[in-house]
Amino acid sequence: MPVSRVALPVRARHYFGHDMLPALMESGTYAVDPEPRGGPWIPWDEVGEEGAAALGVFAPVYSLFSGPPGAVVVAPGDVRGTVLIPGRDGYCLGLDGRDGPNLACEECGRPVATRLDDCSIWQAVWLNPSAVRRVPGPAPRITDWETVLEEGHSTPPVEQPGHWSPQWEAAAGVALAHLLAASAGARVALPGGLVTDMFGRALDALLPPGRPARTLALAGPGLPVSGASGADIALVPVHPQTGGTWQPPGSPATVPLPVDVWLGLAFPEDLPRLPVTGGLPRGVERDDPLPLRPGWTFRPDRHLFLYALARLPAVREPWLRGIYLHLQKPANFSVF
């Protein structure tokens, strides 16, 4: 079946709870991972600083993949002509790819892909880039930002009573790494509301005390430009197809957020995206049904935070390298 390319979701490397998670990709779409994927793992001591930097990793990690880059991920239901390879199991309730590719071509028997559907893993099929080829089709139409705003669907921050959305936690982990680098080690004034819920606690723990020296603003299509004018850092959406970030005027440092999470921040539920009559004013909530509320403080995903931070060149700076090395130790990540 034909599929269209979209940006690789930030939760592609996200593990969550002990639940059976839904599909990583929407049906009819695919994404490409630019980084190496698949074993065997190579320990950091064997790779070294220079070798890791050549792979886009700028801080020590336990080990690195040695597989080829360019793996293609699709929804499990979009795969045709494959069979499971016997004996390739997972850890708990499904397949986790620990034994390598577990799907073979139905006709020739060659291993071609790895299906993931174990607990805590977003369900997906990763196609081996050396075993598949792209069949060209019509050039996709790149959606403009106005259409993204009108047709995009936001992911609510709380999906069920007492639980923050795992998509938000994953997005916040990656965004926090970019935000911390953009802060240059100075305190950041946040705009309040959900933005403060997402990042305030972590920044309070990771940055030195004192008066804020930098400001963060939510910026993007459909929001007043004046709201982000003068801000040092802008929290902006990532285009769902290209993976490029929306560029605000004035060239502040940008912190990327998946567009579905960004929409949840910029246009909370019950607030219209376009001028219409009626609706609830800002700050007023429905009382029927009662709004969902989480049962604990928001925590950005620690694994994705460290993963993203290790791949930012700014982590070479001593102050940020110190934070990274400190948080690598399990006893030191109480903010997560």
Side-chain angles (χ1 to χ4, degrees):
M1 87 178 266
V3 288
S4 300
R5 184 169 180 174
V6 297
L8 183 69
V10 297
R11 60 183 183 276
R13 298 177 179 87
H14 181 224
Y15 301 90
F16 182 79
H18 188 65
D19 303 318
M20 300 301 293
L21 297 177
L24 173 68
M25 305 297 297
E26 292 187 11
S27 181
T29 67
Y30 78 96
V32 179
D33 188 352
E35 298 187 18
R37 187 176 185 87
W41 292 87
I42 305 177
W44 171 261
D45 293 340
E46 294 183 16
V47 180
E49 292 272 357
E50 293 186 4
L55 296 173
V57 181
F58 305 102
V61 295
Y62 180 74
S63 59
L64 291 167
F65 280 129
S66 63
V72 175
V73 61
V74 296
D78 286 350
V79 176
R80 303 288 187 273
T82 61
V83 294
L84 284 170
I85 300 175
R88 305 289 174 97
D89 298 325
Y91 175 74
C92 187
L93 301 176
L95 303 169
D96 65 3
R98 64 178 55 209
D99 299 317
N102 53 31
L103 290 179
C105 173
E106 189 175 27
E107 293 188 6
C108 69
R110 180 185 180 185
V112 294
T114 303
R115 174 165 180 152
L116 304 178
D117 56 17
D118 208 344
C119 61
S120 79
I121 299 175
W122 296 89
Q123 297 186 39
V125 170
W126 289 90
L127 303 173
N128 188 330
S130 64
V132 299
R133 63 183 176 88
R134 179 178 179 269
V135 178
R141 181 181 66 87
I142 303 301
T143 305
D144 58 46
W145 279 111
E146 182 179 353
T147 304
V148 170
L149 179 65
E150 293 177 356
E151 299 181 356
H153 300 285
S154 64
T155 296
V158 183
E159 293 188 344
Q160 53 181 309
H163 292 269
W164 288 102
S165 163
Q167 287 97 320
W168 278 61
E169 293 179 351
V174 174
L176 178 61
H178 288 266
L179 177 53
L180 196 62
S183 75
R187 298 287 294 185
V188 178
L190 302 178
L194 279 172
V195 175
T196 297
D197 290 337
M198 293 177 73
F199 305 113
R201 183 169 175 267
L203 292 181
D204 285 343
L206 299 176
L207 294 175
R211 296 186 60 184
R214 299 200 167 200
T215 55
L216 172 72
L218 189 64
L223 293 180
V225 175
S226 59
S229 61
D232 303 292
I233 309 168
L235 197 59
V236 298
V238 172
H239 195 282
Q241 291 174 287
T242 67
T245 55
W246 188 83
Q247 295 300 309
S251 301
T254 55
V255 173
L257 271 181
V259 70
D260 61 322
V261 174
W262 182 88
L263 286 170
L265 282 173
F267 304 99
E269 192 174 351
D270 293 329
L271 293 178
R273 300 183 195 173
L274 300 175
V276 295
T277 59
L280 294 175
R282 186 174 296 276
V284 176
E285 299 179 334
R286 291 188 182 278
D287 58 7
D288 183 23
L290 289 173
L292 298 176
R293 285 292 178 264
W296 58 82
T297 304
F298 185 89
R299 293 175 182 266
D301 185 82
R302 171 181 174 269
H303 169 75
L304 288 180
F305 167 74
L306 291 174
Y307 187 95
L309 190 57
R311 286 155 178 79
L312 295 179
V315 78
R316 291 167 163 169
E317 299 178 19
W319 73 271
L320 193 52
R321 181 76 157 234
I323 290 175
Y324 174 84
L325 294 176
H326 178 76
L327 291 178
Q328 266 194 323
K329 302 174 183 178
N332 296 332
F333 56 84
S334 60
V335 296
F336 298 95

